[in-house]
Structure formats: C-alpha cells, structure tokens
Amino acid sequence: MALDHAILVSLLERPGSGYELARRFERSIGYFWTATHQQIYRVLKRMEGDGLLDVRDVPQRGRPDKKEYSVAGPGRAVLAAWLHEPIEPESLRHDLAVKIRGAAFDDPAALIHEVERHHRVHGDRLAHYLAGERRDFTGPGAPSPPDAARELQHVVLRGGIAYERMTIAWLDDVLATLHRLGRTAPPA
Amino acid sequence: MALDHAILVSLLERPGSGYELARRFERSIGYFWTATHQQIYRVLKRMEGDGLLDVRDVPQRGRPDKKEYSVAGPGRAVLAAWLHEPIEPESLRHDLAVKIRGAAFDDPAALIHEVERHHRVHGDRLAHYLAGERRDFTGPGAPSPPDAARELQHVVLRGGIAYERMTIAWLDDVLATLHRLGRTAPPA
DNA sequence: TCGTTCTATGCAACTCGTTGCATAGCAAGA
DNA sequence: TCTTGCTATGCAACGAGTTGCATAGAACGA
C-alpha cells in the first residue's frame, strides 16, 4: 500500500483535493508513482474513515466545489512509522524489454518504429524534467537557501533525469542492435 | 497481461516447467519482469486451456515429475500479434523515491541506513549482471557469431547493467544530500 | 532417525489496480 | 442553443498480483 504513503507525502507537501492529487500523479509525484483518479478517491475515502486525513469542503467560484484533504496527526504517525521500516528494493516491469527479447521469434526490424516512439517519449519526458528543474531549482527565480523538502524533491527529480538519460542511451543501443540484425539476418 | 507474453518469450527461448519458469523470473527474465510461482502456475493452466501451450509430463529421477510446457502454434501467433501492437512507455513505481520526499517531514538522516542498504543491493545486482554478461556474452567461452536471440538478450542485459549503474550513482547523490541536510538542518 | 532443504505443484482469500460508466456545474465558442 | 471541454466526484465489475497455506518425493547432514 505505498499509494497511501505517496498520498500522505503529497498532502504534506500541499493539501489538496482528489482531483488535484490525480493531476499531481500525472506530474511530479507521477514521475515515480502512478495512480488513477478512481484509485485516489477510493483511498482518500478509506484514509479519511481511518482518521488519517482531515477534509474540508471548499466552495469555488466558476467551478464545482471540492473537498480539500490534509494530513491529520495519525496520518503523520503512519507515515513516520513507514519511513522507519525497511522496504524492498524496487523491481522493474519493463514491457519493452519483453518485446525486445520476443522480437527474436518474429521480425526484429519490425520493432524499430516502436522503439523510436519510446525514444521520443523519453526525450520529451527528459525535456520536461529539465524545464521543471530550471523553473523550480536551478533557474534564476529559484529560492535560496532551499529547505529540506525542496532539496529532497530536487534529488528525486535528479533521479528522474538520470533515469531518462540512461533510458535514451539504452534505446540508442537497442536501435543500433535492431538495425544490425536487420542487415545481417533478414526475417524469415 | 504482459505476464502471458513474458511467459511465451521465455518458453520460446527454452521450454520448461512452472517451477523452472519461476526460477527464471528470479533471474534473467526477472530483471525486468517479476512473478511468483502461484501467478505462473495459474497463467500456465489458463494458457494451456486456451491452446496457447503444449504440456508433456516428464518423469525425473531423484526428484518429482514435472510438466514441461512449450509454445503451441496459437501461442506463437498471440505473441506475434502483441509484438506488432504499440505499448505504453513504462512508468516507474519507486517506493524509495516516495520515502525520500517523505523524509522531509521526519528525520532525513534516519534514511541514510536504508539508502545504503539499497545501494548495496544494487551493487550486488550489478556484479551479478556483469558476471552473467562475461559468462554468456563477452567471456572467452561465449559463442560467436551469436544469433539474433542472443544479441537481443544481450542488449536487454546491457539495459539492466545501465540501470543499475545509474541507480548506484543516483543513490550516491541521495546519500550526499542526506548527509548535507543532517549537518545543516538537524531534526526537530 | 529426524529435521531441513530443494524440487514441484496447487488452492483460497484477499488486496491492488484498471476499465467503463455516470453525474454535474460551469465556461467558451460555433 | 448546442456541443465540447474542464473541473470534480463517484460506483461497479473485473483482472492482476500477493500472501498464506498445503501437499509430496527425495536428498543430505546432524
């Protein structure tokens, strides 16, 4: 149930509604954790029922009212307890790697367009991360000295940047390999 | 249902029992896809029922009999169809990144031991991958010229190696950040 | 001989995550 | 006015994945 913890962290960084959380999971938090709005609404409701979160109705002008959630004392305690527990080092779920190995039993060259598409997506993500880094951390408008929360957000973002750079370099390697196989071993 | 496809690829590379597949998912295939034996047995049964796999009972000496699965014609067709479909670029699920951002609301320095532990695990994985690469691809006993399947296995392994190297470098960055925060901003 | 470990397969229950659908207010433009 | 799109919340059903447990033959060492 790390989604619970990701929500607690996000709400500690800034209280917000389910809808706002869902959008954060498409952006900053979503760089390393994904969730759909249905999942978020369900978990928010459960956590509120368990007393981990406070809610308050916020009327809005020009748009529907929202429920703004914030972390209650017990929620903070739950997060602190989790922070002191060891967790399993992450393991990957990489569909594309399955496809690449599977391509040996089909036409390797047919994968080139798919890999190029992934290459573009990761290039876009990298550009997006770098823009965010300039805006929030290294650009002229970024506050200094930054506090612990910002420093930690920055080091996580640097991880995302390193991940995208590594992935792009690897996809170049994959493309070179597929091209080489296409030349030397045409498909049956 | 990419587990289905991962199983098809693994069985095309080499037929095997559910038990053997489960061990492969702790090793080579498991570098980029994980599955428990329960999941595997269940999926094997379903795929066999759907005619995607063939089974054959193999009596063994000194150990229990096993059921050896191999890919049937329709299974190959299902895999080929999947290979020609586009898939979503992968997204991460990185608990440790959640913890790192969460540490801002607790004691950042308390995370150091956990991060060091992950650092060691990734160092071990890297060493393991490099040993496998020497054994199967770059060492003196490795066959040359390699076929397409081996080339593709190798490029996926290089991806795993690049991932571990990137992760280790990032964890160094994280540790430096946590140490810095521990010095300049002692916990409340 | 007795407990442990490894091979080998499986059920049942549960939780997590996804997909499809539904509602509703308001804004903006055709 | 009518459609489209954005904000905002939610249900129901399904599928994927985890956890705990159970069985059983054989090897191996204490």
Side-chain angles (χ1 to χ4, degrees):
Chain A
M1 350 192 143
L3 176 56
D4 298 36
H5 304 118
I7 286 176
L8 287 169
V9 169
S10 193
L11 289 179
L12 280 168
E13 289 177 351
R14 178 188 296 268
S17 68
Y19 189 81
E20 282 161 357
L21 279 171
R23 294 210 306 170
R24 289 182 209 172
F25 275 89
E26 290 167 2
R27 298 185 300 105
S28 66
I29 283 271
Y31 301 159
F32 50 87
W33 203 270
T34 58
T36 59
H37 77 271
Q38 287 84 350
Q39 229 183 316
I40 291 166
Y41 283 121
R42 202 194 302 157
V43 171
L44 283 174
K45 189 158 285 189
R46 193 193 70 229
M47 289 172 82
E48 191 219 326
D50 292 346
L52 307 186
L53 300 178
D54 292 324
V55 206
R56 131 188 122 83
D57 281 314
V58 178
Q60 298 188 110
R61 288 180 309 156
R63 54 180 65 176
D65 297 352
K66 66 176 180 179
K67 298 185 189 174
E68 190 180 82
Y69 290 89
S70 53
V71 179
R76 230 183 152 98
V78 163
L79 181 67
W82 178 69
L83 287 172
H84 290 270
E85 273 172 21
I87 52 173
E88 282 295 300
E90 86 289 349
S91 47
L92 297 177
R93 282 284 165 104
H94 208 302
D95 295 70
L96 188 61
V98 178
K99 271 202 173 189
I100 290 164
R101 276 174 74 152
F105 306 98
D106 196 69
D107 174 11
L111 252 189
I112 288 174
H113 285 101
E114 173 83 339
V115 174
E116 284 172 343
R117 192 172 60 85
H118 284 245
H119 194 285
R120 283 193 297 276
V121 169
H122 286 283
D124 290 347
R125 284 189 193 168
L126 176 60
H128 183 227
Y129 290 6
L130 288 172
E133 188 184 34
R134 273 191 302 275
R135 185 186 61 240
D136 297 335
F137 298 109
T138 60
S144 62
D147 60 7
R150 284 175 47 80
E151 282 281 296
L152 292 169
Q153 284 175 29
H154 190 189
V155 78
V156 168
L157 178 56
R158 288 200 297 274
I161 289 167
Y163 177 79
E164 297 303 331
R165 287 202 167 118
M166 179 278 300
T167 301
I168 289 165
W170 176 62
L171 291 176
D172 284 331
D173 185 6
V174 171
L175 283 171
T177 303
L178 291 174
H179 280 295
R180 188 151 25 86
L181 290 173
R183 279 200 306 277
T184 64
Chain B
M1 4 185 136
L3 176 57
D4 299 36
H5 305 119
I7 286 176
L8 287 169
V9 170
S10 192
L11 289 178
L12 280 168
E13 288 177 353
R14 178 188 297 269
S17 67
Y19 189 81
E20 283 161 355
L21 278 172
R23 295 210 306 170
R24 289 182 210 173
F25 275 89
E26 291 168 2
R27 297 184 302 105
S28 66
I29 284 271
Y31 300 159
F32 48 87
W33 202 270
T34 58
T36 61
H37 77 271
Q38 287 87 348
Q39 229 183 317
I40 290 165
Y41 283 121
R42 201 194 303 156
V43 170
L44 283 174
K45 189 158 286 189
R46 191 192 71 229
M47 289 171 83
E48 191 219 328
D50 292 345
L52 307 186
L53 301 179
D54 292 324
V55 206
R56 137 187 118 82
D57 280 315
V58 178
Q60 298 188 110
R61 288 179 309 154
R63 55 181 65 177
D65 298 350
K66 66 175 180 180
K67 297 185 188 175
E68 190 180 82
Y69 290 89
S70 54
V71 178
R76 228 183 155 97
V78 163
L79 181 66
W82 179 69
L83 286 172
H84 290 270
E85 273 172 23
I87 53 173
E88 282 295 299
E90 86 289 350
S91 47
L92 296 177
R93 281 283 165 104
H94 208 303
D95 295 70
L96 189 60
V98 178
K99 270 202 174 191
I100 290 164
R101 275 172 74 150
F105 305 99
D106 196 68
D107 175 12
L111 253 189
I112 287 173
H113 284 103
E114 173 83 339
V115 174
E116 285 172 343
R117 191 172 61 84
H118 284 244
H119 193 285
R120 283 193 298 275
V121 169
H122 286 284
D124 291 348
R125 284 189 193 168
L126 175 59
H128 184 227
Y129 290 6
L130 288 172
E133 188 183 35
R134 274 190 300 275
R135 185 185 62 240
D136 298 334
F137 299 106
T138 60
S144 61
D147 59 8
R150 284 176 47 77
E151 281 282 298
L152 292 169
Q153 284 175 32
H154 190 190
V155 78
V156 168
L157 179 56
R158 288 200 296 274
I161 289 168
Y163 177 78
E164 296 303 330
R165 286 202 168 118
M166 178 279 298
T167 301
I168 289 165
W170 176 61
L171 291 176
D172 284 332
D173 185 6
V174 171
L175 283 170
T177 303
L178 291 174
H179 281 294
R180 188 151 24 87
L181 290 173
R183 278 201 306 277
T184 62

